[in-house]
């Protein structure tokens, strides 16, 4: 008997899919807060779903972080996003998300993903940081900040750094 790969569900699936489609899906604790903030009534419904609330291992978080650094997407991912990607790594799962950065990380590394409601990405992008002031370009590789933190300032002129698609 062939086992289906585990489904890892981003918050967009938790909010938009019928409850019965969520059964058996892997999710992380941080998503409770996200869903409660966006749709408190929906959170009550999710309590009835047979979701698998799981915290990824440190090793799988490290691996997901490494992959996201390689694409330059790390700075655009939240702690929740990174934890969900880590579950995909850990369980060799299938991620259901409308988040383009998460789709990009999956595509780059060969992990399976599907959109929830959007069309999804059509190609893999790599990101870099560009200074708004002097135009200096730096790679996102090796950075450790998450999307919730500021992108930082240019080491040359002190202006704000911005993400852009690598040419």
């Amino acid at each position: 008997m062939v086992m289906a790969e585990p489904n890892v569900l981003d918050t967009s699936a938790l909010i938009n899919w019928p409850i019965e489609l969520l059964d058996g899906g892997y999710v992380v604790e941080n998503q409770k807060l996200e869903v409660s903030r966006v749709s408190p009534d929906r959170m009550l419904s999710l309590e009835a779903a047979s979701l698998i609330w799981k915290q990824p291992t440190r090793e799988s978080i490290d691996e997901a972080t490494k992959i996201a650094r390689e694409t330059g997407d790390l700075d655009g991912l939240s702690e929740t996003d990174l934890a969900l990607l880590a579950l995909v790594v850990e369980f060799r799962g299938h991620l259901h998300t409308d988040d383009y950065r998460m789709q990009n990380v999956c595509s780059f590394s060969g992990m399976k993903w599907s959109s929830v409601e959007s069309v999804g990405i059509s190609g893999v992008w790599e990101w870099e940081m560009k200074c708004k002031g002097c135009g200096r370009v730096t790679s996102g590789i090796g950075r450790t900040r998450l999307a919730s933190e500021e992108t930082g300032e240019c080491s040359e002129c002190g202006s704000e750094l911005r993400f852009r698609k690598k040419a």
Side-chain angles (χ1 to χ4, degrees):
M1 181 172 146
V2 176
M3 297 287 290
E5 70 241 344
N7 289 314
V8 177
L9 309 175
D10 192 14
T11 305
S12 56
L14 296 180
I15 292 171
N16 294 299
W17 282 1
I19 294 297
E20 58 273 9
L21 285 181
L22 303 176
D23 285 347
Y26 283 80
V27 288
V28 296
E29 287 292 322
N30 288 354
Q31 289 176 278
K32 288 181 181 178
L33 180 60
E34 289 181 356
V35 173
S36 293
R37 192 175 52 239
V38 174
S39 178
D41 291 340
R42 181 63 174 188
M43 191 59 223
L44 291 173
S45 299
L46 290 179
E47 296 297 334
S50 298
L51 294 166
I52 302 169
W53 299 92
K54 185 81 173 149
Q55 192 60 36
T57 63
R58 178 81 255 163
E59 293 80 18
S60 60
I61 290 173
D62 290 346
E63 181 63 23
T65 301
K66 178 180 168 254
I67 297 165
R69 271 195 192 114
E70 289 177 23
T71 65
D73 285 302
L74 182 60
D75 288 326
L77 297 173
S78 70
E79 186 178 321
T80 301
D81 296 339
L82 208 51
L84 290 168
L85 287 166
L87 287 180
V88 176
V89 168
E90 189 171 329
F91 296 110
R92 290 178 174 70
H94 186 117
L95 179 65
H96 298 274
T97 183
D98 282 338
D99 184 301
Y100 292 155
R101 287 191 180 272
M102 292 174 72
Q103 293 173 4
N104 194 57
V105 171
C106 286
S107 292
F108 177 82
S109 63
M111 292 186 277
K112 295 179 181 176
W113 65 270
S114 299
S115 326
V116 173
E117 291 196 319
S118 71
V119 174
I121 64 170
S122 58
V124 176
W125 287 11
E126 290 185 56
W127 298 92
E128 60 191 5
M129 304 290 283
K130 182 177 181 181
C131 175
K132 271 180 66 176
C134 69
R136 182 173 181 256
V137 176
T138 59
S139 170
I141 295 173
R143 297 178 54 86
T144 58
R145 293 188 180 135
L146 297 175
S148 58
E149 299 177 283
E150 294 179 15
T151 54
E153 297 176 349
C154 178
S155 60
E156 295 294 317
C157 73
S159 296
E160 181 183 357
L161 295 173
R162 295 283 174 119
F163 289 106
R164 75 171 192 177
K165 182 181 171 186
K166 209 175 200 179

